[in-house]
Amino acid sequence: GLRSSPPARTAMPSWVIDRYGRNEVLRFTRDMALPAIRFPNEVVIKVHAASLNPIDLSMRSGYGATALNMKRDPLKLNSVENEFPLTLGRDVSGVVMECGLSVSYFKPGDEVWAAIPPWKQGTLSEFVVASGNEVSFKPKCLSHTEAASLPYVGLTAWSAVNNVGGLNDKNCGGKRVLILGASGGVGTFAVQLVKAWGAHVTAVCSNDAIILMKKLGVDDVIDYKSGNLEERLKTLPLFDFILDNVGGSTEKWALDLLRKWSGATYVTLVTPFLINMDRLGVADGMLRTGVTIGSKTVKHLCKGVHYRWAFFMPSGPCLDEIAELVDSGKIQPVIDQVFSFADVPKAFLKLEGGHARGKTVIDVINKK
C-alpha cells in the first residue's frame, strides 16, 4: 500500500480567553495555533513551567486593553480589533525549540527563562515565541518550576530599584530602604535584591508574613495591621529609598518618610497610566498621564525628594544579572503554591484571593 508522512502538528494545548470577564472566561483548548517565528530575532520556547502575576488578573478583566491593543497594532493595519483568543501568563521557564536566522546566542535544547511582554501571546500554553533579547539562560541551580516564579517580578523590581531608582551594587550599601507591600512577588524579590546590594531594609507586610521576611534577611518588619502604620514609620530614622507596591493612600504620607535634599527617591508601581487610556482613549489618556506625573514630580522635587513611576520592562541582559545573583545564592524563589496545567482556573482563583506569600506557579509539563 501507499505510505505517507504523518501530518505536521499545527495546534497545541493552551488556556485562552475569548472575552474579558471573571474566571469563567478561561477556556482550555487543544486547537491553539502553534506559534511561528515571524522575525529573525525570535525563538520558540517549549514551556515547562509558567507563573501568574496580578497583571494576568487585570488582563483577564480587560484592564489596560486600550494601551495593549495599540502596542499590538500601532499602525492600525488590522481592519478589525480582535486580540482574541488571548493567552495569558507572562513568565516562562523552558527549552528552546527553534531559533530565527539572526539568533546566535541560543540554540535548540538550551534551558532558558523569560518574561513575555503583556502585548504578546502568553505562556499558559505548550509553546511560546519570544524575542531573543527578552530571553536569558535559566539559573543552573533552579528547576523549571522554581525559575518560572522569578522573571516578571524580578524584572519589575529591577526596573523600579535599578533603572528608575538608581540603586545598584556599588551605591546601595548602608542605604535605608522601605518596601511597602513586601510579601508579594515583587516585594519578596526587591527585598532580596537590595539586601544583596547591602541595604538596610524595612518591610511592611501582615503579621503572617513576618517569618518569611526575617528568612529573607529583612532588618525591620512592621505589621501594617498593628496600630497606625504612618505613625509607627515616623518613629524610625528617615529613608533613602521607598518602593511602594500598595499605592492608594500610602502615597499621601510615604514621601514624608524620605531624607530631604539628599537624593532620596520614592518609586511606585501603582500608576494610572493604563486606566487613563482605558477611560479617556489613547491621546487624552497619555496627556492626562503626562500632566499627572509631571506635576507630582515637580511638586515633590520642590520639597527635596524624587518622585518616580516604574513599570515592568522585558530584558534578557537584566535576567542575566538576576541569574548570577540566583546562582550565587543571594536571591531565592519564593513560591506560594504550584498547580498543574489542568488547574489553571484554580490558580487564578488562588491569586484572586490575595494574601499570597510569593508566587503562584503552573507546572505546564504536568497536564493531568
Side-chain angles (χ1 to χ4, degrees), residues 240-261:
D240 301 291
F241 181 86
I242 296 176
L243 175 60
D244 188 353
N245 298 293
V246 179
S249 61
T250 58
E251 187 175 305
K252 297 178 182 178
W253 49 261
L255 284 101
D256 294 330
L257 305 173
L258 291 170
R259 292 172 56 210
K260 306 296 189 291
W261 307 108

Side-chain angles (χ1 to χ4, degrees), residues 58-71:
S58 300
M59 290 179 64
R60 186 199 65 186
S61 302
Y63 175 78
T66 301
L68 295 177
N69 283 335
M70 183 189 71
K71 181 67 176 178

Side-chain angles (χ1 to χ4, degrees), residues 8 40 292 302 329 367:
T292 301
C302 292
K367 300 185 178 64

Side-chain angles (χ1 to χ4, degrees), residues 43 99 102-107 110 112 132 135-137 316 320:
V43 298
C99 298
S102 69
V103 176
S104 58
Y105 196 58
F106 304 103
K107 64 182 186 303
D110 285 340
V112 297
V135 180
S136 169
F137 290 106
D320 290 341

